[in-house]
Structure formats: C-alpha cells, structure tokens
Amino acid sequence: MNILVEASLEPEVSSTFNVEKIRADFPILNLKIEDKPLVYLDSAASSQMPQPVINRLNYYQTAQHANINRAVHYLSEVATAEYQKARCKLQQFVNAREDREIIFTSGTTDAINLVMHGYGRKFIQADDEIILTTLEHHSNIVPWQMLAKEKGAKIRVVPINEAGELDIHEYKKLFNERTKFVSLIHVSNALGTINPIKEMIAYAHQHDVPVLIDGAQAAPHIPIDVQELDCEFYTFSAHKLCGPTGVGILYGKAEMLESMQPFKGGGDMIASVTFAETTYAEIPHKFEAGTPPIAAAIGFGAAVDYITTIGLEPIAAYETELLNYATIRMLEIPGVNIIGTAANKAAVLSFTIDGIHPHDIGTILNEDGIAVRTGHHCAQPVMQRFNVPATSRASFAFYNKKTEIDALIAGIKTVQKVFL
Ligand code: PLP
C-alpha cells in the first residue's frame, strides 16, 4: 500500500483539479438532507447529472422529440440525426472502428443478456465452458447460468486473493479445449479492484476464445480503447457516467455482431417481414428492436461530451487522490475493516465496522446527509469470499471533495458511539 504514503492529508488540496468549479455544474449537490448538506458517496450505483446533460435532455424534449427512422417529417429527421450523432460520440469515446459496432441497449445488464442470447444461445453447446470471475456483478453471472442450464454447459470461476485481486495463474489454468467464452468485469463494483483485462483478453485469444468485458464501473473512470484492448464485446451504462437511466451501450466487433442471432424481435430490426419468413436488418439495427431510448441516448452523448471535456485522465488522478485520502482516514479508526485492498484500485471503499450491521451504518450516516450503499452490491460471491453478509460502500466521483470524506469519517465515529 505504498501509494498511500503519497496521499495528501490536507483537505481540499488538489493542484490540478478545480472541484468547486465542477460541483457548480451539479445542482443536486446543493441539496440538504435532514437539514444537512448532501454528501453523495454512492456514485458507483448511479452518478449525478451535470447541468449541460440536463439542458440537453430538456432541449431534446422541448424542441426535437419524435420517433426515429420511420418518417420523413422534420422532427423525425432531427431526432434520427441526433440519435445517430450520439452513437458516433460513443464510438469515439471507446475508439470503436465503426459506428455500427455500437448498439444502444437499456444498460449493461441488457447488453450482457443480448450477448448471451445472440451469441451464447447460437454458439455454446453442451459441455462447453464459460469462464467468469468471483468479482462479477450478478448481471454477469445469472445470464450465463441460465445459458449453462439450458445448454448443459459449465461455468468456471476465477478465484480472488485476500486483497480482492484475481488469481491470474488460476485463470490461465481454467482454459482447455471446451472453453468457449470469457466474460469479465473490468472494475469490481464491490471492491474497486481494477483487473488486468488486456493481459486476460490476450490469453483468451491464444485459445481462440472471445471475451466480453463488463465495463460498468470502468468507463466512468478509465479511458477505454476497445481496439487496443481487442475485446470482442464491451459494455457500460449511462447512469454511472453522469448520464440518464435506461440506456447503455454494447460495443461488439462487427464480425461478431453480424454472426449473432437477434435478441429481441420487433419493429426497426427487420429488412422484410412476411408470415412465411422475416429477414433482419444490418447491424446495429438488428439489435435495436422497437423504439429505442432516444432521449436517453442523446443525453448519454451529452454526458460523454461533458466527461471528455474534463478528461478521464485528470478524473482518474483526482479520484485516486480521494481514494488514498479516504483510505488513510478510515484506517485511523479502530474497528473499521476495509474489504478490498488491491494494488490497482478504483475509488470504491467497501468496509465493515466490528459489531455493527452495515444497514445500521447506512441508516445513521443518512441522518447526517451522507449517502453510502449498504448490502451485497449485487455481488454475493464476493461477500461469500470474504465471509461477510454485506458491506458499507463509499464510492467517489470527480465531484466529491476531501471535506466530504471528513464528514464520512465523523459519521462513522458517530455510528460507533451510537452502537458500541
Ligand atoms: N456490472 C457492474 C460491475 C455494475 O456495477 C452494475 C451496476 O451496478 C451492472 C453491471 C449493472 O448495470 P445496470 O444496472 O445499469 O444494467
């Protein structure tokens, strides 16, 4: 943990990052909860939305809304063009080769289900093996379990060590001639561990195995280059990236998406329909049945613009500074245990307090206006690995500041006074 030594204990000092200027973009951060200023430390669940994204959504609804792809009238053409522009913004954001490699979904969960149905149900057979890791969110476990049950396939799981890091040696040992798919979390939502996905993708490719990356917790914090990573699929949700709920993307290599069967059937995903036979549209439309989340996708594009203007590299550096500060302050409190101490970690701090249930911690912190998440974080296998029913989780975004971490530390001391 030598990175901690470099962390500044000085509140509000960050030489390069003007957090007060950024906070002014987020109206919700001015809220008072129980008469106390809101301290929002739950951005890993959903991040907050800046004014430019709110304005973009408002403008779309006020002056641009219509259904897309279906009419020649002015508004439909505007909405179609704006929706397509959003796709191109997402293409640039992840550096995909082509815009048709970006599918709008309702979020990460929907995207993983799309791949399970579109790729898995077509290509995975009885006795085939799918590699997952202990760190996966339920949305990257349950769809594959459903597939395994249907097909008679097997799930193999990469274990983690005490720090919450994947055992890469064990990962490599799991490969054999029956291995047909790898689905991996990039950054753990429960622990913050950043996985060495580039190395893991390259190893899977040595065995001709395609890889899906669940980037729900990575895309808001780490620059993503899907061509450099060379993964077959990458997915994340807008609502963790300062965008609206109800939309996310699936990036897929064009040749993979073309080889897959559609996930959902309906309008807009067809080339022609008769009762005898239906032929499907080209990608990306083949995977966007029905009216898509048009407004949300356009808001997603605005969120990507906002994040790109600030820059993911300064964001990551500032969030690491927050994480290191919070870790040092947390370790000062007797009875507090940090769960997840990976060397390479995003700004997520999961913790337990001896003798106090996580839900009680969350409830008392809420009385001070502090929003943390308590529970299993949709990652029960992680909880089982550490033998805890739940943790409390503070997750930091680039709009948080060190005085908010001080408030969290004071809040934890209050919790201990109340219960111990
Ligand atoms: N994967 C990870 C790592 C997550 O943290 C989450 C949400 O918490 C998801 C997947 C699911 O995302 P969504 O609920 O937006 O589909």
Side-chain angles (χ1 to χ4, degrees):
M1 280 240 193
N2 52 357
I3 44 164
L4 297 182
V5 176
E6 291 164 24
S8 165
L9 276 171
E10 194 76 25
E12 298 321 306
V13 171
S14 176
S15 46
T16 52
F17 210 77
N18 189 343
V19 69
E20 290 302 342
K21 184 162 175 279
I22 283 167
R23 287 176 69 83
D25 286 338
F26 289 82
I28 205 166
L29 298 179
N30 295 321
L31 279 185
K32 293 236 165 31
I33 309 290
E34 313 266 352
D35 238 17
K36 311 263 173 51
L38 168 67
V39 175
Y40 189 75
L41 303 179
D42 196 18
S43 295
S46 249
S47 57
Q48 296 299 348
M49 192 182 282
Q51 195 65 52
V53 179
I54 298 170
N55 292 348
R56 184 67 191 90
L57 288 168
N58 191 15
Y59 183 66
Y60 170 78
Q61 295 297 172
T62 309
Q64 296 182 313
H65 175 62
N67 211 322
I68 58 167
N69 296 337
R70 290 177 194 177
V72 292
H73 65 76
Y74 171 80
L75 275 183
S76 180
E77 285 186 355
V78 170
T80 303
E82 293 302 322
Y83 180 72
Q84 179 55 23
K85 255 193 238 166
R87 194 189 305 281
C88 293
K89 286 179 187 189
L90 267 301
Q91 176 203 349
Q92 281 168 20
F93 188 65
V94 299
N95 193 31
R97 221 171 265 114
E98 302 177 64
D99 58 3
R100 67 194 183 114
E101 295 182 313
I102 304 297
I103 315 288
F104 281 116
T105 65
S106 72
T108 307
T109 305
D110 192 39
I112 295 169
N113 277 276
L114 188 164
V115 177
M116 183 280 264
H117 284 271
Y119 183 88
R121 294 185 80 198
K122 185 167 176 189
F123 294 112
I124 305 245
Q125 313 294 342
D127 298 326
D128 285 348
E129 296 185 2
I130 300 160
I131 297 180
L132 308 177
T133 82
T134 307
L135 292 174
E136 301 313 318
H137 187 280
H138 296 164
S139 63
N140 199 26
I141 299 175
V142 183
W144 302 114
Q145 276 177 332
M146 291 161 91
L147 178 71
K149 199 163 180 196
E150 177 187 322
K151 297 283 188 171
K154 237 189 241 158
I155 306 285
R156 310 292 306 272
V157 183
V158 186
I160 53 174
N161 63 19
E162 268 310 299
E165 295 161 322
L166 292 178
D167 185 332
I168 299 301
H169 182 65
E170 286 300 316
Y171 168 68
K172 293 181 176 174
K173 281 197 342 207
L174 289 178
F175 282 83
N176 61 53
E177 67 287 351
R178 292 181 302 281
T179 309
K180 291 290 153 48
F181 202 79
V182 172
S183 203
L184 280 180
I185 195 165
H186 191 168
V187 173
S188 160
N189 62 308
L191 305 180
T193 313
I194 302 174
N195 293 319
I197 57 162
K198 194 168 175 210
E199 175 192 345
M200 295 173 81
I201 294 164
Y203 191 78
H205 287 176
Q206 285 175 27
H207 296 263
D208 286 330
V209 176
V211 182
L212 179 149
I213 302 294
D214 169 357
Q217 296 294 339
H221 310 286
I222 299 172
I224 305 300
D225 183 334
V226 290
Q227 292 189 63
E228 196 199 329
L229 288 171
D230 199 29
C231 52
E232 277 61 37
F233 304 101
Y234 197 101
T235 174
F236 54 94
S237 306
H239 68 95
K240 296 181 196 290
L241 206 146
C242 300
T245 52
V247 70
I249 60 148
L250 172 69
Y251 155 80
K253 284 183 180 169
E255 66 272 20
M256 296 296 288
L257 294 171
E258 279 167 344
S259 74
M260 288 158 56
Q261 61 191 19
F263 170 32
K264 296 170 185 164
D268 268 2
M269 53 74 75
I270 54 91
S272 76
V273 177
T274 68
F275 279 108
E277 197 191 6
T278 290
T279 55
Y280 303 126
E282 300 294 322
I283 61 166
H285 307 291
K286 183 167 91 173
F287 295 108
E288 293 184 359
T291 301
I294 307 165
I298 291 168
F300 196 1
V304 157
D305 282 345
Y306 181 81
I307 295 280
T308 308
T309 304
I310 296 170
L312 272 167
E313 272 159 18
I315 284 175
Y318 178 68
E319 288 175 349
T320 301
E321 195 178 319
L322 290 179
L323 174 70
N324 291 347
Y325 179 69
T327 306
I328 291 176
R329 297 293 324 268
M330 201 81 105
L331 289 172
E332 285 168 1
I333 313 175
V336 173
N337 317 296
I338 294 175
I339 312 284
T341 51
N344 198 10
K345 201 176 151 179
V348 166
L349 208 50
S350 248
F351 61 96
T352 58
I353 306 180
D354 293 344
I356 308 175
H357 194 277
H359 288 292
D360 294 332
I361 299 170
T363 305
I364 299 294
L365 289 176
N366 182 54
E367 288 172 9
D368 282 336
I370 302 167
V372 297
R373 180 133 303 225
T374 57
H376 52 62
H377 317 296
C378 297
Q380 285 185 358
V382 175
M383 301 298 118
Q384 287 149 13
R385 167 63 180 78
F386 287 97
N387 214 12
V388 292
T391 70
S392 302
R393 181 189 72 185
S395 53
F396 310 109
F398 58 94
Y399 45 69
N400 288 124
K401 48 185 187 170
K402 288 182 180 170
T403 48
E404 293 182 304
I405 293 169
D406 295 338
L408 171 68
I409 299 299
I412 289 172
K413 289 178 179 165
T414 306
V415 171
Q416 286 182 315
K417 269 194 215 129
V418 171
F419 286 100
L420 298 179

